[in-house]
Amino acid sequence: HLVVYLFAAFDGFFPSVPSESTIVTLSSLWSTSRSPSIILIGLAAWLGAWTGDNIGYLIGNKIGWERFKFLREGRGRRAVDAADRGLQKRALVFLMTARYIPFGRTAVNLVAGAVHYPHSRFWPRSLLSTFVWAVYSCAIGALAGAWFEHNHLLGITVALIAAMVMALVLERMISIGHRALDRRAEQREAEQALVHQQEQAPATEQGAGETAADGQQPGPVDQRPSPAATGGVESPSTPRGEESPA
């Protein structure tokens, strides 16, 4: 159980440790011989994985992820980029699913610390995701071992193969799911931007109309001199052909 705890903890920041295969193997042995206790295996895996996640977060927070060569290139770098996007858009979903992606478990812990993702949100979500992962790993080993309870070696072999196949299937399904969610998010952002532009258009047109009205020239002004300016008084006109009275 101590080995399970240590392997699961180291796997949180060093991905080469075979924590999941160890859990699957011991769970398969429990299914065929009832030893060691699968409850203790699950608890050791859960607490070890949660400890490793928080150590990885602390390392990322203090020194960053760039110090690790396996995260600067290839699948490691892609995992880092995916972790960065996932934490920004849907942290809970990504923390729950990253454990089943190669390098994802290590990348998400280091990146979460490096980008200063709030630890008050990180640790309870890590606690939930590690619990699900521990139950999943123990269940694979126990189910595969139950099929071959009279042959321990064959049960362990089948359990490990089943774990690898399930990991590949889950990786593919999770990748497809995240891409679909990314497309939906991009489409939603585009729709919101379009609505915002449409809301801004009437205000822009109204502002342009007011500017045009303010810029209009005043109409022509009557320039004829007034009677007072000419010094005379306007008298009623006299019909032609009539004399005015003396």
Side-chain angles (χ1 to χ4, degrees), residues 66-117:
E66 296 86 354
R67 301 284 185 90
F68 299 90
K69 184 178 180 180
F70 65 90
L71 292 178
R72 296 199 303 264
E73 55 188 16
R75 301 184 72 176
R77 182 52 190 264
R78 290 195 294 271
V80 168
D81 294 338
D84 192 13
R85 293 193 304 269
L87 288 172
Q88 292 178 10
K89 297 180 179 179
R90 43 187 177 275
L92 178 59
V93 175
F94 196 83
L95 286 172
M96 292 291 294
T97 57
R99 310 193 68 83
Y100 308 96
I101 302 174
F103 296 102
R105 188 179 317 172
T106 304
V108 71
N109 297 332
L110 295 174
V111 171
V115 301
H116 303 291
Y117 183 79

Side-chain angles (χ1 to χ4, degrees), residues 4-234:
V4 172
Y5 175 85
L6 292 175
F7 276 18
F10 278 109
D11 200 19
F13 54 90
F14 193 73
S16 299
V17 179
S19 62
E20 188 169 346
S21 59
T22 303
I23 298 168
V24 170
T25 300
L26 294 177
S27 299
S28 177
L29 282 176
W30 170 86
S31 184
T32 57
S33 63
R34 292 298 183 264
S35 179
S37 171
I38 194 171
I39 301 297
L40 295 180
I41 293 172
L43 285 174
W46 179 23
L47 295 178
W50 184 72
T51 302
D53 283 2
N54 285 272
I55 292 175
Y57 178 95
L58 181 63
I59 293 174
N61 185 265
K62 296 301 181 182
I63 66 175
W65 58 266
E66 296 86 354
R67 301 284 185 90
F68 299 90
K69 184 178 180 180
F70 65 90
L71 292 178
R72 296 199 303 264
E73 55 188 16
R75 301 184 72 176
R77 182 52 190 264
R78 290 195 294 271
V80 168
D81 294 338
D84 192 13
R85 293 193 304 269
L87 288 172
Q88 292 178 10
K89 297 180 179 179
R90 43 187 177 275
L92 178 59
V93 175
F94 196 83
L95 286 172
M96 292 291 294
T97 57
R99 310 193 68 83
Y100 308 96
I101 302 174
F103 296 102
R105 188 179 317 172
T106 304
V108 71
N109 297 332
L110 295 174
V111 171
V115 301
H116 303 291
Y117 183 79
H119 189 257
S120 60
R121 296 182 183 179
F122 177 83
W123 76 259
R125 294 177 177 184
S126 171
L127 192 66
L128 176 61
S129 65
T130 51
F131 173 77
V132 174
W133 172 79
V135 172
Y136 158 81
S137 301
C138 290
I140 289 180
L143 289 174
W147 294 339
F148 304 94
E149 58 180 338
H150 299 296
N151 191 328
H152 297 345
L153 181 59
L154 183 59
I156 293 173
T157 303
V158 171
L160 291 174
I161 293 175
M164 288 188 292
V165 172
M166 287 294 295
L168 292 174
V169 172
L170 283 174
E171 178 191 0
R172 180 62 57 184
M173 293 177 61
I174 290 169
S175 299
I176 293 173
H178 280 300
R179 284 197 294 269
L181 290 174
D182 287 338
R183 286 194 296 268
R184 287 185 59 184
E186 292 173 358
Q187 183 179 2
R188 192 180 304 114
E189 291 175 357
E191 292 175 354
Q192 291 176 353
L194 181 60
V195 170
H196 182 71
Q197 290 178 356
Q198 292 176 348
E199 291 176 351
Q200 293 294 326
T204 304
E205 293 176 358
Q206 182 179 358
E210 292 177 355
T211 304
D214 293 340
Q216 289 180 353
Q217 297 294 332
V221 180
D222 190 1
Q223 299 295 330
R224 290 178 300 175
S226 62
T230 57
V233 178
E234 185 177 358

